[in-house]
Amino acid sequence: MAAVSMPFASGLRRLFGNRAMLVGAIILTVVVLAAILAPWIAPYAPNKLSIVNKLKPPSMTNVFGTDEFGRDIFSRAIFAGRISLLVSLGVVAISTVLGVILGVAAGFFRSLDAPISRLLDAMMSFPDILLAIALVAALGPSLSTVILALGITYAPRLARIVRGSTLVLRELPYIEAAVAMGLPTWQILARHVLLNLASPILVQSTFVFASAMLAEASLSFLGVGVSTDMPTWGTMLASGREYMNNAPWLMVFPGLAIVFSVLSLQLLGDGLRDLVDPRLAKES
C-alpha cells in the first residue's frame, strides 16, 4: 500500500509545485464554470436589444458596458464562452481520432508510413487558418463545419507526434516479443501501443484546444465562422472594431477573454508536459 501511495504523493507534490500549471487550471476552471452557469450568471439575455442604452460604458448596471445595439457585453461574453469551448472540444475530439489513426498506421505499418507522411506534410505546408478557411468555404459556414474543418486542420499535429512515438514503441523488446508470439495486431496496438501514447496525446490535445479556440475566434472575426446570430468572442471583436475609438470596451473584454482562455490552456499544457516527462521526474 505504501509503495502505491508514494508515487501518488510524489505526483501530487509535483502537480501543486508547478505554479504556472495551477494558475492555468484555475483560470480554465473559472472560464468553464462561467460558460456552464451562463444562464444563471448572465444578468441579461445575450441578444436582448436596448437601443436607448447603446454604447454605454462599463457601469454597475452593465459591468462590461453595452454594444451598438444596447446588448450587455458581459452577458454576451459569458455565452460566447460556451461556443468557444464547444468548438474547441469538438475539434480536439476529431483531431485526436484522426491523428491517432493516421499516426499509429504510419508508425506501426512500414508500408503506410511514406504515403501517410506525405499527406501530413502536404496538409501542414498550408497555414492553419488558410486551410481552415478553405475547408469552411467548401463545406459551408456553420457550427458543425467549423468544428469539422478545424478538426481536420489540426489532425496532422497529433498525427506527427503519434507517429514519432509509435516508431519508438515499435522497436521495443516487448512489442517485438508480442509480435513473435503471434498476438493479433489489434491487441498489440490496443494494449501495448495506445496505452503508452496516452500521455503525449493528452499533452498535445491541450495545445490543440488552445489553437482551436484562437482559430475559431479568427474565423468568426473574418466572418467565415459560425452564424452571426450566435455570440462568439470573434464576432464581438469584429463588430466592435468599428467603434474602437469611441467604445474600446467592445473589443477589450472579448479580447481579454480570448487571451486568458488561451493562456490558461498553454500553461496547463506546459505543466502537463513537464509532469509526464520521466526525465523531469528523475531530476526532482
Side-chain angles (χ1 to χ4, degrees):
M1 190 69 177
V4 176
S5 61
M6 287 297 291
F8 180 74
S10 176
L12 284 179
R13 285 196 299 269
R14 292 174 58 205
L15 174 62
F16 288 101
N18 191 325
R19 295 182 180 179
M21 183 178 178
L22 279 179
V23 171
I26 291 172
I27 296 175
L28 183 61
T29 300
V30 172
V31 173
V32 172
L33 287 178
I36 294 174
L37 301 176
W40 296 274
I41 295 177
Y44 306 99
N47 292 322
K48 182 181 179 181
L49 303 180
S50 180
I51 302 300
V52 296
N53 293 318
K54 67 178 183 179
L55 299 178
K56 293 289 185 180
S59 63
M60 294 298 295
T61 305
N62 303 103
V63 181
F64 288 177
T66 61
D67 63 7
E68 68 275 20
F69 297 110
R71 296 173 297 190
D72 184 61
I73 297 296
F74 178 69
S75 301
R76 290 179 61 78
I78 292 178
F79 276 93
R82 285 186 153 192
I83 303 298
S84 294
L85 290 173
L86 176 62
V87 170
S88 300
L89 284 173
V91 171
V92 169
I94 293 175
S95 62
T96 298
V97 172
L98 292 178
V100 169
I101 292 174
L102 293 174
V104 170
F108 196 83
F109 302 101
R110 289 179 171 84
S111 60
L112 297 178
D113 190 12
I116 293 178
S117 295
R118 299 296 78 76
L119 173 63
L120 298 178
D121 291 340
M123 294 180 66
M124 295 185 71
S125 64
F126 295 95
D128 293 340
I129 192 65
L130 291 182
L131 181 58
I133 290 175
L135 291 173
V136 170
L139 299 174
S142 68
L143 182 62
S144 57
T145 55
V146 168
I147 294 174
L148 179 60
L150 292 177
I152 295 174
T153 299
Y154 290 113
R157 292 190 183 187
L158 276 160
R160 295 298 294 268
I161 299 294
V162 172
R163 173 186 173 274
S165 300
T166 304
L167 286 174
V168 175
L169 291 172
R170 187 183 66 185
E171 305 301 329
L172 294 179
Y174 69 89
I175 298 292
E176 295 180 349
V179 174
M181 291 173 60
L183 292 179
T185 302
W186 67 266
Q187 188 173 352
I188 297 174
L189 294 177
R191 296 180 58 182
H192 300 295
V193 176
L194 291 179
L195 287 179
N196 287 286
L197 292 174
S199 294
I201 290 174
L202 176 62
V203 172
Q204 190 64 23
S205 294
T206 59
F207 296 121
V208 171
F209 201 117
S211 299
M213 186 174 291
L214 193 59
E216 183 276 323
S218 300
L219 291 176
S220 297
F221 181 82
L222 295 173
V224 293
V226 300
S227 172
T228 54
D229 296 334
M230 297 182 181
T232 68
W233 292 328
T235 54
M236 293 174 70
L237 287 174
S239 61
R241 62 183 170 180
E242 299 180 9
Y243 307 92
M244 185 169 53
N245 295 328
N246 299 326
W249 58 86
L250 295 183
M251 299 192 70
V252 168
F253 293 112
L256 288 176
I258 296 173
V259 168
F260 281 109
S261 298
V262 174
L263 177 63
S264 68
L265 288 163
Q266 293 288 349
L267 293 175
L268 190 61
D270 287 337
L272 285 173
R273 182 175 56 192
D274 296 342
L275 193 63
V276 301
D277 194 330
R279 293 172 298 179
L280 296 179
K282 292 179 181 179
E283 293 175 2
S284 59

